[in-house]
Amino acid sequence: DAGVIQSPRHEVTEMGQEVTLRCKPISGHDYLFWYRQTMMRGLELLIYFNNNVPIDDSGMPEDRFSAKMPNASFSTLKIQPSEPRDSAVYFCASSPRAGVGTQYFGPGTRLLVL
Amino acid sequence: GDSVTQMEGPVTLSEEAFLTINCTYTATGYPSLFWYVQYPGEGLQLLLKATKADDKGSNKGFEATYRKETTSFHLEKGSVQVSDSAVYFCALSDRGNAGKSTFGDGTTLTVKP
C-alpha cells in the first residue's frame, strides 16, 4: 500500500500566481481531508469530503481557496491568487470509516509564496 | 462542540526519562481517542488509539488509557529515546461528527542524549 500521495512535495511561487496541490487517497477510503499547518496557527482543517462530496468547508479561509474531488482517487486544493500568508505545509489525509476511523496523512506539500 | 486540550510544550527530557503528556477532552458523544506523532518533515501518523472507556492503547513502548470519568487520555512512556523526539497530537473522533476528528495543539518533545 503506497499510502496517501501528495504532489508536489515543495512549491515555491510568487504572490498572485495560481497554486494547485494534488492528493491521491488510499484506495477504499471514504473520507478525504485537507489540512494546513503553520507555526502560528497549528493544524487547521480546511475541508473534508465523504464519498467525493464536500461535507464541511467551514475551515477554508477565503474564496481564494477551492477544493475538488472529481473521483474517489483524486483531489485538488487550489489557491488563486496566492498570497505570502498562504505559506504553510498542506496535508491531505484519508480515512476508511466515520467515527472510529484513523486518519492516514500524506507527507505534505510545503508551500512558499514570495 | 468537541475539543481537545493538551499539555503545553515544549518538553525536554534526558534519554531514559519517564514521559507523560497530558490530554483531556470534551465531547458530546462517545468518542474514540488517538495519539498521533509527527517526526520532522513528515505527516502525522497514528501512534495508538482507544475506542471505548478503560481501553488501553499501546505501541512502541507508549501507552494511554481512555478514562471516561476524568475525560483524559494521557500519553506515557517509561524510558524515552532520542528517536522519540517529535510532535505529539492528541485527537478524538466522534461518531456523531460525521467523520471529522478534533486535534489538540500538539506537544513538542525533545529528548537529549
Side-chain angles (χ1 to χ4, degrees):
Chain A
D1 190 345
V4 175
I5 298 172
Q6 291 187 248
S7 65
R9 292 293 310 277
H10 302 272
E11 177 82 23
V12 180
T13 190
E14 293 190 346
M15 184 173 64
Q17 296 298 305
E18 178 178 294
V19 175
T20 299
L21 311 181
R22 297 173 177 80
C23 175
K24 177 178 168 56
I26 293 172
S27 177
H29 282 193
D30 298 331
Y31 287 85
L32 184 138
F33 306 83
W34 282 102
Y35 292 90
R36 178 172 68 176
Q37 187 178 41
T38 61
M39 290 291 291
M40 290 294 293
R41 302 167 84 102
L43 189 68
E44 303 173 274
L45 175 65
L46 301 177
I47 185 171
Y48 75 103
F49 296 82
N50 179 24
N51 293 324
N52 314 337
V53 176
I55 302 300
D56 184 353
D57 65 354
S58 59
M60 297 285 262
E62 43 195 282
D63 291 345
R64 297 184 297 106
F65 286 69
S66 63
K68 294 182 180 179
M69 191 165 186
N71 57 60
S73 59
F74 183 66
S75 178
T76 59
L77 178 68
K78 188 172 292 186
I79 309 172
Q80 167 62 20
S82 58
E83 296 183 4
R85 60 193 167 120
D86 301 331
S87 298
V89 182
Y90 291 82
F91 290 105
C92 176
S94 67
S95 179
R97 190 158 61 105
V100 297
T102 301
Q103 293 193 16
Y104 296 81
F105 282 74
T109 295
R110 190 171 296 272
L111 173 65
L112 178 62
V113 183
L114 301 173
Chain B
D2 296 346
S3 68
V4 175
T5 303
Q6 279 185 240
M7 171 175 149
E8 286 191 24
V11 175
T12 302
L13 296 174
S14 297
E15 206 165 23
E16 299 184 3
F18 184 85
L19 168 71
T20 299
I21 301 178
N22 290 338
C23 172
T24 57
Y25 68 90
T26 302
T28 52
Y30 298 93
S32 295
L33 302 175
F34 305 82
W35 277 101
Y36 289 84
V37 59
Q38 183 179 28
Y39 299 104
E42 298 183 10
L44 282 69
Q45 57 184 272
L46 179 69
L47 179 59
L48 54 84
K49 69 179 182 182
T51 59
K52 61 183 188 296
D54 299 326
D55 269 3
K56 178 186 283 188
S58 61
N59 186 24
K60 300 181 182 178
F62 290 88
E63 292 183 340
T65 301
Y66 189 141
R67 301 285 189 202
K68 191 164 183 284
E69 64 276 12
T70 54
T71 61
S72 65
F73 193 55
H74 304 321
L75 182 68
E76 296 182 336
K77 186 176 186 183
S79 176
V80 293
Q81 306 300 312
V82 172
S83 57
D84 294 326
S85 298
V87 182
Y88 293 82
F89 292 87
C90 185
L92 69 83
S93 180
D94 195 333
R95 286 178 180 82
N97 212 7
K100 191 167 70 171
S101 290
T102 301
F103 287 83
D105 290 336
T107 301
T108 300
L109 170 67
T110 301
V111 180
K112 298 192 172 181

